[in-house]
Amino acid sequence: MSFNRKNTSNKNISNTNNKSVRNINNSVSDIDNKSSGIKNIDKKTINKNNSNNKINENRKPNDLINETSPYLLQHAYNPVNWHPWNEKSFSLAKKENKPIFLSIGYSTCHWCHVMEKESFEDEEVAKILNENFISIKVDREEMPSVDSMYMESAIIFTGNGGWPLTVLIDNDKKPFFAGTYYPKISLIRILNDISNTWKNDPNKVKNIANDIINDLKNLNRSDRFDNKSIVNNRDKDESVLDYSIIERTFEDLKSRFDNRFGGFGYAPKFPSVQNILFLNRYYFQTESLEAKDMVEKTLDSMFNGGIFDHIAGGFSRYSVDYKWLVPHFEKMMYDNGILAIAYLEAGLLFNKKYLKIAKKILDYCFREMLGEHGFYTAQDADSEGEEGKYYLFTINDIRKVLGSSDSEKFCKLFDITRDGNFKKKNIPNLIKTFYNNKKEYYTIFGSGNYNIHDQNIHDHDINNHDINDQNINGYNKVNPNINENNIQNHDADENFEFNSFIEDSTKKLYNFRLKRTPPFKDKKNLAFVNGLMIATLSMGANILNKREYIEKAEEIGEFIINKLIKDGRLYTSYKDGKIRNKGVLDDYAYVIWGFIELFQVTLNKKWLNNAQNLMDSMIDLFFDDGVLYLSGSDVNDLPIRTKNVYDGAIPSGNNISVFNLMRLYSITNNDYYKDVFEEIIYSLKTDIEKNPLAFITLISGLIYDKSGGLHINLALDLDNKNINKNNNKDVNNIINKDININKNINKISINIAKEKLSFWNPFLTISLLDKDSENFNENMISVCENMTCKPYKKIDDFLYDDIDSKIIKLTNKNVEN
């Protein structure tokens, strides 16, 4: 969703809309524009970097100086007398009878930097704010519930949202004006108008604030979602939603699909990875070639474009154009974590090329974004006051680093020219090579007879003479040479790299780029980001055979348990030894997801137990009236509690939670989890049916529900009672993925089980039982498919043939080596 660029004064603030706004979510983009930003400032270098002549290097800091948020610290030396969000600040507003100027953003937000440079570093603006307002800064990543409520108010006012988020509120925290970015001249006019209205017509402000709060209450009222008559009167044997919604969702995706360059919608274009994950599962169940083509075209086009950093790996947040060429250069960890999952899945369903891309994403995450405790939050778009400067190359840069021969080859491959493709410089990309020189492209980046996509590509930047190809829209044939044992158990020495020229060239250019002033990194550890990365690394460890991924996933899991959970309560953020703010629904949802995945790959019950404990706490704190709130019942710092039920840039906590509940029900057979997820779905039934794409992650869970899933019951010797020590085999010889587990669990039994189950399935769940409690003399396994469980058999006798799941058939049929 793009910004509203209109200059709005308080003449418009009474024009509110009492209708429910369906498309409200807090995942909208900041302004899609190409103006320059400013240099980022962190706590250590804040005075050093403030060379702007409007800034006095000897200026005393404001109240933000004691915060840990990098975003708040960036504003600690503004002439604006900023305050943090706390009761002291609101008490001051009441004491001085001033309105509150609330500014919400995050540290890597380009247009937040622009507004800071234009307005918050400006003495004229600061004077108006300091004399007439109490100014409060909020880091949206530390306080997502605050951001959510006021984002909804901005959308009510303007129809759009984004960051920086600019809100005027009274001292009861009720908004009476909201917008996004405003240039200095507009901001001054707004501030003067609102200050005069506050002083001369306070009832007008009060009435508007009450109207907006009523609108927000209507958007989030319980009876809007709580269809109790449906819930209470439904047939318990019927599905929670009609399965026809799955096909409707697929048809809606098709209608929004860009047949030329993949993705959904046009510019600006976001990855919207939940759409890809849905299509993977839809294909898994239906073998739809249309779904396969949509996934491949999107993943190919994103990788080929400049949104992917071909030098260091990792994806930028979104593309400002429809071809994925020019990115908004900031990199978010949540984007890269979930994109890695999409490429991992596609690598097993369709083509091993995608596994190489997934590895490049994770290499970037480890190399650039991993801190002492976990993964950082984001990397800025700006450096040295210019958006994208760090990432751009001239043709002379390439020649200097690679020499004449290799530079000529690299420039031709990655479309590096004298004129450039962005600000007279170059964003390395493979778009032209993909369409105009397929033979070379597939030699370097492809795997086997890779699918070539839609021939109806027309773009003035692409020479179309070579776009047509006899293999266009051709699909893979069954490969009879794939052995069952090689379906997913990749050889330990497989490195998932491209050819030596690409690896050597990009490494040299990366080292060259490191000499530049790097973009700022937000080094706080967010719970939801690290929960997502635990899930990603757990999947990656199994698929890419990387033991270090599991080791890191378990380290991060320990960090969350020991540092981000206090008195049983999960917190949102950790930095400099301090935790900040009680966790919201998304924090719980993503950490629980991570722990479930970690349990499934380690078979260590510690992670399952923690997932259940957090789920039980989540239900107590967030589940009420049939729906999940964003903030917990123990947090009362806002006039209302919002419900972020829609998927945005990434899946919502609500929809991830539904899928978590489904999986925990399958693993534990606890009917309470089933009752909760069914009530949530039924409460949202009307909204889901009207706008299924907003709930696409939840509907992916419905595909799981329809399939019945693939469930494995393992009955193992868990405490070493029946092991003949003299006959133990070396564990490392038993399984090529010896993963750390608790000492009180029998490694032999666990690792044999993991060796037998080292395959991927989007709907797989595993239950771990003590064989003695089941009265078995040996380690046993039972496979449950289509809601029917086969008799237990010895694990040593277990074969892939015992599983009817399509994963074996589809992998044999479609994955190209």
Side-chain angles (χ1 to χ4, degrees):
M1 187 180 294
S2 62
F3 266 62
N4 181 357
R5 295 182 175 84
K6 295 179 181 178
N7 295 332
T8 307
S9 71
N10 80 327
K11 295 176 183 179
N12 299 324
I13 62 180
S14 62
N15 297 327
T16 59
N17 184 354
N18 291 320
K19 295 180 180 180
S20 295
V21 181
R22 290 204 169 276
N23 293 324
I24 287 178
N25 63 72
N26 70 337
S27 299
V28 291
S29 69
D30 53 344
I31 287 183
D32 168 29
N33 203 306
K34 296 181 180 178
S35 297
S36 298
I38 63 167
K39 182 178 293 185
N40 293 285
I41 306 170
D42 65 19
K43 191 172 183 179
K44 294 180 180 179
T45 60
I46 196 162
N47 287 324
K48 178 181 177 181
N49 289 345
N50 278 336
S51 58
N52 189 293
N53 60 14
K54 295 180 182 179
I55 293 183
N56 180 352
E57 291 187 358
N58 297 316
R59 181 183 293 139
K60 292 182 180 180
N62 54 50
D63 285 356
L64 301 183
I65 195 64
N66 296 316
E67 298 298 307
T68 60
S69 160
Y71 175 65
L72 300 186
L73 290 170
Q74 286 172 357
H75 295 266
Y77 283 83
N78 291 164
V80 176
N81 187 21
W82 292 113
H83 300 270
W85 177 281
N86 57 32
E87 287 307 313
K88 179 182 176 182
S89 302
F90 290 101
S91 296
L92 182 63
K94 289 181 180 179
K95 179 181 178 181
E96 297 187 6
N97 190 28
K98 290 180 178 179
I100 293 165
F101 178 81
L102 175 64
S103 179
I104 302 175
Y106 58 102
S107 68
T108 60
C109 164
H110 170 71
W111 282 89
C112 299
H113 303 330
V114 174
M115 196 165 179
E116 180 188 15
K117 182 177 182 180
E118 290 180 345
S119 298
F120 302 146
E121 290 179 358
D122 184 85
E123 297 289 350
E124 182 182 5
V125 174
K127 185 174 186 294
I128 295 171
L129 285 171
N130 294 342
E131 289 179 356
N132 299 285
F133 300 86
I134 298 300
S135 299
I136 294 179
K137 263 285 175 191
V138 166
D139 183 339
R140 64 166 293 265
E141 294 169 337
E142 280 196 341
M143 306 191 78
S145 58
V146 173
D147 176 67
S148 174
M149 195 195 90
Y150 293 114
M151 185 65 74
E152 289 188 359
S153 68
I155 295 175
I156 290 172
F157 272 107
T158 69
N160 295 292
W163 302 280
L165 180 58
T166 303
V167 192
L168 277 298
I169 64 177
D170 64 20
N171 45 39
D172 290 322
K173 305 174 186 175
K174 297 177 181 179
F176 57 88
F177 177 88
T180 52
Y181 162 79
Y182 295 100
K184 174 184 170 181
I185 188 170
S186 299
L187 182 63
I188 288 175
R189 185 173 68 249
I190 291 167
L191 294 177
N192 285 331
D193 286 350
I194 287 178
S195 178
N196 290 333
T197 304
W198 179 270
K199 294 172 184 176
N200 300 319
D201 194 357
N203 286 333
K204 180 177 182 179
V205 173
K206 181 179 179 181
N207 291 336
I208 294 171
N210 288 335
D211 285 345
I212 295 300
I213 285 296
N214 288 334
D215 286 349
L216 292 171
K217 287 179 178 178
N218 286 334
L219 283 169
N220 293 277
R221 70 182 189 270
S222 297
D223 62 343
R224 178 175 172 232
F225 298 101
D226 183 18
N227 302 308
K228 284 197 177 294
S229 61
I230 299 175
V231 175
N232 294 333
N233 297 324
R234 71 181 178 89
D235 182 350
K236 292 291 185 179
D237 293 329
E238 70 178 2
S239 63
V240 287
L241 273 173
D242 193 309
Y243 290 135
S244 63
I245 194 73
I246 297 170
E247 196 62 37
R248 275 190 52 209
T249 304
F250 178 63
E251 293 299 320
D252 285 354
L253 271 186
K254 283 171 57 179
S255 70
R256 297 187 60 196
F257 183 67
D258 179 357
N259 284 305
R260 295 181 298 173
F261 290 98
F264 305 90
Y266 298 93
K269 196 178 267 188
F270 285 78
S272 299
V273 184
Q274 59 268 22
N275 295 343
I276 300 298
L277 300 182
F278 167 85
L279 289 171
N280 286 346
R281 283 146 187 76
Y282 183 83
Y283 172 77
F284 191 83
Q285 288 303 111
T286 66
E287 300 183 53
S288 164
L289 295 183
E290 286 183 293
K292 177 178 184 287
D293 184 58
M294 291 163 71
V295 170
E296 291 184 309
K297 188 173 292 183
T298 301
L299 295 184
D300 284 349
S301 296
M302 288 196 300
F303 167 70
N304 293 334
I307 190 175
F308 181 75
D309 182 356
H310 290 276
I311 305 304
F315 279 89
S316 296
R317 186 167 176 232
Y318 64 87
S319 172
V320 303
D321 62 273
Y322 63 96
K323 293 189 299 185
W324 309 97
L325 172 61
V326 179
H328 179 50
F329 288 89
E330 68 177 322
K331 293 180 179 178
M332 314 301 290
M333 272 303 300
Y334 58 72
D335 285 324
N336 282 282
I338 200 162
L339 276 162
I341 291 176
Y343 278 95
L344 286 167
E345 291 185 356
L348 289 179
L349 281 174
F350 309 128
N351 192 292
K352 283 190 177 181
K353 165 192 174 181
Y354 299 126
L355 299 182
K356 297 179 181 181
I357 300 171
K359 174 67 163 46
K360 297 300 178 189
I361 299 171
L362 293 174
D363 285 348
Y364 158 76
C365 296
F366 271 81
R367 184 177 57 248
E368 303 252 356
M369 300 302 290
L370 182 61
E372 177 184 359
H373 302 292
F375 288 95
Y376 298 143
T377 299
Q379 194 168 27
D380 210 330
D382 299 4
S383 58
E384 299 183 83
E386 184 176 342
E387 183 182 10
K389 182 176 182 179
Y390 181 75
Y391 298 99
L392 304 178
F393 291 88
T394 65
I395 197 167
N396 288 333
D397 290 334
I398 307 300
R399 288 173 177 170
K400 178 180 178 180
V401 175
L402 300 184
S404 58
S405 178
D406 283 353
S407 64
E408 183 178 355
K409 181 178 179 181
F410 187 90
C411 289
K412 181 180 180 182
L413 189 66
F414 285 94
D415 190 27
I416 309 295
T417 64
R418 288 188 178 278
D419 294 336
N421 53 35
F422 182 71
K423 296 182 178 180
K424 297 184 179 180
K425 294 183 179 180
N426 293 276
I427 303 168
N429 72 93
L430 295 164
I431 297 172
K432 287 184 179 179
T433 301
F434 181 75
Y435 289 107
N436 297 342
N437 196 347
K438 299 181 188 65
K439 181 177 180 181
E440 183 173 11
Y441 180 91
Y442 294 133
T443 299
I444 297 173
F445 300 103
S447 279
N449 296 319
Y450 191 62
N451 177 34
I452 302 170
H453 296 303
D454 192 353
Q455 60 183 332
N456 297 316
I457 304 292
H458 300 289
D459 186 90
H460 68 276
D461 285 335
I462 295 177
N463 298 318
N464 292 300
H465 66 276
D466 193 29
I467 286 193
N468 294 319
D469 188 280
Q470 62 181 353
N471 291 322
I472 282 176
N473 290 330
Y475 291 92
N476 305 317
K477 306 298 182 182
V478 175
N479 184 347
N481 297 321
I482 296 179
N483 184 282
E484 177 189 89
N485 293 327
N486 292 326
I487 290 173
Q488 296 189 57
N489 296 319
H490 306 293
D491 295 334
D493 60 351
E494 189 166 5
N495 59 19
F496 299 103
E497 293 185 345
F498 298 120
N499 71 12
S500 59
F501 173 76
I502 295 298
E503 300 298 335
D504 293 344
S505 299
T506 54
K507 183 177 181 180
K508 290 175 183 177
L509 290 168
Y510 175 74
N511 290 330
F512 170 79
R513 201 172 73 178
L514 284 176
K515 298 175 184 177
R516 300 172 175 173
T517 300
F520 172 81
K521 291 178 187 175
D522 189 318
K523 295 186 177 181
K524 63 178 177 287
N525 302 121
L526 293 176
F528 96 88
V529 167
N530 282 281
L532 170 60
M533 288 306 297
I534 290 173
T536 303
L537 293 176
S538 298
M539 294 177 62
N542 197 26
I543 294 169
L544 299 178
N545 187 26
K546 296 291 181 180
R547 171 176 172 163
E548 61 267 29
Y549 289 177
I550 279 299
E551 291 173 348
K552 182 54 61 178
E554 292 204 304
E555 286 179 23
I556 297 171
E558 294 287 353
F559 158 69
I560 290 174
I561 292 169
N562 295 324
K563 298 294 186 180
L564 274 171
I565 296 178
K566 180 181 179 182
D567 298 327
R569 187 62 161 88
L570 179 66
Y571 279 71
T572 290
S573 177
Y574 178 94
K575 191 174 185 296
D576 299 336
K578 298 177 181 178
I579 55 175
R580 285 284 189 266
N581 304 306
K582 291 179 178 179
V584 296
L585 177 64
D586 293 47
D587 296 317
Y588 278 79
Y590 279 89
V591 171
I592 291 168
W593 180 17
F595 285 171
I596 292 172
E597 296 292 349
L598 195 50
F599 162 69
Q600 295 212 146
V601 74
T602 63
L603 299 183
N604 185 343
K605 272 196 168 181
K606 171 181 180 177
W607 304 115
L608 176 61
N609 292 339
N610 277 282
Q612 288 182 263
N613 290 339
L614 284 174
M615 179 59 78
D616 294 343
S617 177
M618 188 200 83
I619 293 170
D620 288 342
L621 289 166
F622 300 96
F623 184 63
D624 193 13
D625 297 324
V627 292
L628 290 166
Y629 286 86
L630 178 63
S631 58
S633 57
D634 57 346
V635 178
N636 300 298
D637 62 344
L638 290 168
I640 64 168
R641 294 168 73 192
T642 58
K643 305 181 187 76
N644 281 14
V645 297
Y646 308 115
D647 286 337
I650 60 173
S652 72
N654 179 86
N655 297 338
I656 290 290
S657 293
V658 169
F659 197 46
N660 287 341
L661 285 159
M662 288 179 172
R663 297 177 78 196
L664 284 177
Y665 167 64
S666 178
I667 293 169
T668 66
N669 204 30
N670 185 338
D671 286 332
Y672 180 53
Y673 295 144
K674 183 174 186 287
D675 292 340
V676 172
F677 78 68
E678 288 189 346
E679 188 168 349
I680 293 169
I681 294 174
Y682 264 82
S683 294
L684 295 169
K685 184 179 178 72
T686 301
D687 277 58
I688 295 170
E689 290 174 342
K690 288 181 178 179
N691 190 9
L693 290 184
F695 297 89
I696 196 165
T697 302
L698 186 152
I699 295 170
S700 292
L702 198 64
I703 301 176
Y704 165 75
D705 182 69
K706 180 181 179 182
S707 73
L710 169 63
H711 184 72
I712 306 292
N713 289 311
L714 293 174
L716 305 177
D717 177 15
L718 297 181
D719 57 7
N720 299 316
K721 292 190 296 294
N722 300 310
I723 294 294
N724 183 340
K725 303 297 182 182
N726 295 326
N727 292 331
N728 278 354
K729 297 179 181 178
D730 184 344
V731 172
N732 289 324
N733 292 329
I734 293 177
I735 183 169
N736 60 10
K737 294 186 291 200
D738 182 20
I739 294 171
N740 291 342
I741 54 178
N742 284 355
K743 292 181 180 179
N744 65 331
I745 296 179
N746 183 340
K747 289 184 178 180
I748 302 296
S749 297
I750 293 292
N751 282 333
I752 289 174
K754 286 188 297 189
E755 178 187 28
K756 294 288 187 178
L757 299 177
S758 56
F759 62 90
W760 173 85
N761 184 292
F763 304 142
L764 174 66
T765 53
I766 301 172
S767 292
L768 193 60
L769 312 170
D770 191 318
K771 72 179 183 61
D772 289 342
S773 67
E774 303 296 317
N775 298 316
F776 291 125
N777 293 322
E778 299 187 64
N779 294 325
M780 306 291 282
I781 184 171
S782 173
V783 178
C784 305
E785 296 181 271
N786 300 316
M787 289 167 278
T788 302
C789 293
K790 296 180 181 180
Y792 276 94
K793 66 187 304 182
K794 297 178 183 178
I795 282 184
D796 288 342
D797 297 333
F798 171 79
L799 300 171
Y800 281 112
D801 289 343
D802 294 318
I803 298 177
D804 296 327
S805 171
K806 289 183 180 179
I807 188 62
I808 304 302
K809 178 175 64 174
L810 293 182
T811 306
N812 270 294
K813 180 178 180 181
N814 292 298
V815 173
E816 299 170 7
N817 292 309

